[in-house]
Amino acid sequence: EPVWEKAGAEIAQKHPGVSDIVLAKVDCTHPTSESLCIKWRVDAFPTILVFRKDDTGASQHESYHGERSLPAITGWAENFVKQIKREIPKTRTVDADKDGQADSHTGVGCMISGLLHVQRAPGMLLIQAKSEGHEFNWETMDVSHTANHLSFGPFLSETDWMVMPPHIAASVGSLDDKAYTSDQHVPTTHEHYVKVVRHEVSPPSSWKVKPVLAYGYVVHSNNIQKAGEVPTVRINYDILPIVVQFSEKKQAFYHFITQLCAIVGGVFTVAGIVASITDKGINMVKKKQELGKLG
């Protein structure tokens, strides 16, 4: 808070004639401002948002993600002064220190990506908001998320994807591109239960392609809404100690001839039985006619 106040004073001192930029603060813990913070989904303190005069009700406000130091904040604010004076083009993505990472943008939430080495035993991935420099309002914390990709085992090449049967390929990323939404203003924990099975796919030798090792999985998800519980995303995984082997082999030509002969032989056998029954029936009718028992 002192850094924010010093930044506001420094900007006002440097640009006394610019009244269009104001660094204001709101106490989200105060009863009179609680509804305002809920409206703009402020659940981490401190949070720095940008409100522009030309914003509408549907506008996404930029949020500041840079350092919480006096030089960083004043340098970031200077960028908006330049936009007001039309010295630089207006933009909602600001990289004041030119380090390639935006100090503020309109994106909501965060992107989590990476690679983890885990043991072949049941485990859990826990995703939860935690920071030494922030405080959180768990009542409004929203952990809605989209799982862009989750897979186990080695990365698969385009050839590997083409070799795998469709039902195995679909199981490798069962959680991909699925969205999970929390009820607004209700603390919600999302829990995913993942059962992982190793698959070994051996293509025909004529393809001259190496066997493919892939880990498919099935997933079951549910939501937990409990007062006082910290909203979290939990991914519980269990790598099962079984292996599913899939191989495709072409049938030899002599197998085809054998099956064809069996079919032809079966047809002749059935035809012979039908002919025999028909012949016996005709002979019985003839005998009854000779004896005059047919009237």
Side-chain angles (χ1 to χ4, degrees):
E1 187 173 343
V3 173
W4 182 253
E5 293 177 350
K6 290 179 180 179
E10 186 172 325
I11 291 297
Q13 184 178 1
K14 283 186 177 181
H15 306 281
V18 179
S19 59
D20 291 338
I21 181 169
V22 178
L23 275 67
K25 64 179 181 179
V26 175
D27 183 5
C28 288
T29 62
H30 197 277
T32 58
S33 55
E34 186 175 354
S35 59
L36 177 66
C37 296
I38 291 176
K39 176 182 178 181
W40 299 112
R41 306 184 70 84
V42 177
D43 45 36
F45 318 123
T47 293
I48 301 177
L49 297 177
V50 179
F51 290 82
R52 298 173 181 266
K53 287 185 177 180
D54 56 353
D55 283 342
T56 62
S59 297
Q60 286 190 345
H61 301 284
E62 303 106 292
S63 56
Y64 177 74
H65 301 281
E67 294 182 4
R68 304 304 171 94
S69 64
L70 181 60
I73 293 178
T74 53
W76 170 71
E78 287 281 357
N79 193 284
F80 293 100
V81 174
K82 294 179 181 179
Q83 291 187 34
I84 294 172
K85 294 181 177 181
R86 298 184 179 181
E87 295 177 3
I88 60 174
K90 181 180 177 181
T91 176
R92 290 181 179 268
T93 301
V94 176
D95 181 10
D97 51 7
K98 308 296 182 182
D99 62 349
Q101 295 185 353
D103 298 311
S104 64
H105 54 79
T106 56
V108 179
C110 56
M111 175 74 73
I112 300 175
S113 63
L115 175 67
L116 296 176
H117 293 277
V118 299
Q119 296 181 351
R120 294 184 181 180
M124 179 176 64
L125 303 178
L126 184 67
I127 303 173
Q128 187 181 88
K130 187 175 182 180
S131 173
E132 295 181 355
H134 293 77
E135 294 181 1
F136 299 98
N137 182 3
W138 303 120
E139 296 296 327
T140 60
M141 177 66 68
D142 187 351
V143 292
S144 300
H145 59 283
T146 299
N148 295 316
H149 178 69
L150 176 67
S151 62
F152 295 81
F155 292 104
L156 302 175
S157 64
E158 293 185 6
T159 303
D160 295 337
W161 286 104
M162 295 176 63
V163 168
M164 281 192 299
H167 68 281
I168 295 180
S171 68
V172 170
S174 301
L175 202 60
D176 291 2
D177 299 323
K178 292 186 178 179
Y180 300 88
T181 306
S182 303
D183 291 339
Q184 195 171 12
H185 309 321
V186 179
T188 304
T189 290
H190 298 267
E191 207 155 20
H192 307 290
Y193 298 92
V194 179
K195 297 289 185 180
V196 187
V197 178
R198 173 171 171 161
H199 293 78
E200 295 180 355
V201 180
S202 300
S205 57
S206 59
W207 290 13
K208 297 181 179 180
V209 177
K210 295 181 180 180
V212 177
L213 173 63
Y215 286 82
Y217 62 88
V218 294
V219 59
H220 301 280
S221 304
N222 63 356
N223 297 339
I224 301 174
Q225 295 179 343
K226 184 178 179 181
E229 182 167 337
V230 178
T232 308
V233 176
R234 292 196 288 261
I235 302 176
N236 301 278
Y237 62 87
D238 186 7
I239 303 176
L240 303 179
I242 60 176
V243 179
V244 177
Q245 294 181 331
F246 183 90
S247 60
E248 184 178 348
K249 296 181 180 178
K250 290 186 177 180
Q251 199 172 48
F253 182 72
Y254 67 86
H255 282 295
F256 170 74
I257 297 298
T258 302
Q259 292 177 356
L260 181 62
C261 292
I263 295 173
V264 173
V267 171
F268 274 102
T269 301
V270 173
I273 294 173
V274 173
S276 177
I277 294 174
T278 304
D279 187 58
K280 287 182 179 181
I282 293 174
N283 290 335
M284 289 178 64
V285 172
K286 285 183 179 181
K287 287 183 180 180
K288 289 183 179 181
Q289 286 179 344
E290 291 175 357
L291 294 175
K293 292 184 178 182
L294 297 178

